[in-house]
Amino acid sequence: MVLVLHNGATGKREEFVPLRHDAVGMYVCGPTVYDYAHIGNARPVIVFDVLYRLLKRRYASVHYVRNITDVDDKISARAREAGEVIGAITARTTAAFHEDMAALGSLPPDSEPRATAHIGNMIAMIERLIERGYAYVAEGHVLFSVAAKADYGKLSNRSRDEMIAGARIDVAPYKRDPADFTLWKPSGEDQPGWDSPWGRGRPGWHIECSAMSLAELGKTFDIHGGGRDLVFPHHENEVAQSEAANGAPFVRYWVHNGFLTVNGEKMSKSLGNFVVVRDALKKAPGEALRLNMLSTHYRAPIDWNDEGIARARQALDRWYGLIEKAEAHWGRSITPDAHVPEAIEAALDDDLNTPQAIAEMHAIANAGYAAGTEDALVPAAASLKAAGAALGVLRMEPHQWFRWQPAGEADGPTDVEIETLIEARKAARKAKNFAEADRIRDDLAARGVLLEDGPQGTKWKRA
RNA sequence: GGCGACGUGGCGGAAUGGUUACGCAGCGGACUGCAAAUCCGUGUAUACCGGUUCGAUUCCGGUCGUCGCCUCCA
């Protein structure tokens, strides 16, 4: 089993060989905690969770780091608007982020450094950059000198001329070069700040990730992930800072996920089409959102819409249906196979081809059903659950899945109410009072409950 | 304007120098008191124009179209 990843540094698919044979380090840019996570924030979390799960199956030690950016001008602005303390906003938003990502089936990373806990490391790194001639102080700011780093632009494949030509913003007068970027900036009284050799101030965004990855993973590490839109300037600047300060190569494999649109349009405040994860979780189970996200290859753009979520839900219905039948036959719950099916591993090894992996799960389910015997359902279910573990789905009991209901909407009938009505309908059917039986069925259907008459009686599920 | 990604059946979405997955929808069937649900079966596609090749959806060039980045937005 050879894992192949598309490496953004070379633009090619490459066999993944970690720095150390038994240990892997991975860093993924985490959220800036000033508001609830939107579905675009969730994409890298889900994608790299699948990679994390795969790496854990292959290597004795995996260190997955995802930072929390808890100092940022957007956070300060939000605090000012809300009349709230910054710490309260970041703590609350971080907790909500953890809940939402867990609901999407993502494992917590091994460490989750907060920027504010690493200010000392950032200052130390900036001092090293000044010493080495890669940064300069100007009017209370510290700036990275792009001209000092000959290979600046290598990750995003841009020349300095192109960057300057493309610059659409006014260049701050204290910059020696329009492409220079901020490492440290002075803070006013109403802004968060830390004492530094350059006065009270706060770090620029890019240096945060460089300092935290150094502290957690060392000068050179295996995988750095994030959204494609971060390639420039964020990741480009990280490379420049880290390599200049550390004198060592920074990242061996850059992995970038593609962008997400909502109903064909870019998510933006002005269009009012932000999909907040927390809201989406009220309307559909987390696993359905997750499977929908994985039904497109991670590097391709994905359009987020209700049809896709419904499709993902149907696929899960079929798989859970098989598991439920197998358990009914087996008389107890199905234990997943110890190993993820070969075909699934092969698909994921191919640059995380999750659509292919999903197709393989359908193949397992189809084979289980097509065998035509109940005995065949049991191994198929065990295999399916093992495959689900690789993708982070099929974590529920079938009855939980089928009885899932939207949160906070009390208009649906309760489980007990449904069971009572089913009993009443059973009696009516026995008495051949089909009009009454159908009335109950239609009534429940109108309230979102589907009945299924089978040899073993009547089962129900919420639509 | 610069850089980059991408155009596969009604829809979503993989793969591939030769026979093109998988799912949804549609259609047919089984099951059922009737249904629904479920299960079984099944038709349809490689944007356009050239080139290379025995053969191109796949490789190369061009056209058209979509999208992203160049604004501390994943």
Side-chain angles (χ1 to χ4, degrees), chain A residues 375-452:
Chain A
D375 285 337
L377 294 175
V378 175
S383 180
L384 214 46
K385 284 182 89 163
L391 293 184
V393 296
L394 298 180
R395 293 165 294 130
M396 300 164 78
E397 293 300 324
H399 73 271
Q400 285 182 296
W401 168 261
F402 287 118
R403 295 177 181 194
W404 184 92
Q405 60 181 336
E409 308 211 356
D411 55 347
T414 63
D415 290 11
V416 175
E417 205 177 329
I418 293 165
E419 307 282 2
T420 308
L421 284 166
I422 286 175
E423 283 308 308
R425 176 164 172 273
K426 190 176 162 189
R429 290 180 76 203
K430 203 163 188 177
K432 303 241 187 274
N433 183 356
F434 295 120
E436 171 64 5
D438 291 353
R439 190 196 61 76
I440 294 171
R441 184 174 65 201
D442 294 345
D443 203 47
L444 279 171
R447 298 166 74 188
V449 177
L450 297 180
L451 301 189
E452 181 179 344

Side-chain angles (χ1 to χ4, degrees), chain A residues 187-230:
Chain A
S187 290
E189 280 308 310
D190 58 338
Q191 287 166 315
W194 289 262
D195 290 328
S196 80
W198 321 286
R200 182 174 176 279
R202 60 196 192 284
W205 177 41
H206 313 301
I207 197 72
E208 297 179 8
C209 285
S210 282
M212 287 187 275
S213 63
L214 176 64
E216 294 280 348
L217 298 170
K219 294 179 178 178
T220 305
F221 57 93
D222 295 303
I223 298 172
H224 190 132
R228 198 195 277 295
D229 58 318
L230 291 184

Side-chain angles (χ1 to χ4, degrees), chain A residues 39-40 42-43 46-47 260 288-298 302 304 312 354:
Chain A
I39 199 69
R43 190 171 194 192
I46 292 170
V47 164
L260 177 146
L289 304 180
R290 183 179 177 97
L291 191 71
N292 183 225
M293 192 71 88
L294 295 176
S295 68
T296 298
H297 184 86
Y298 77 92
I302 184 173
W304 193 262
T354 52

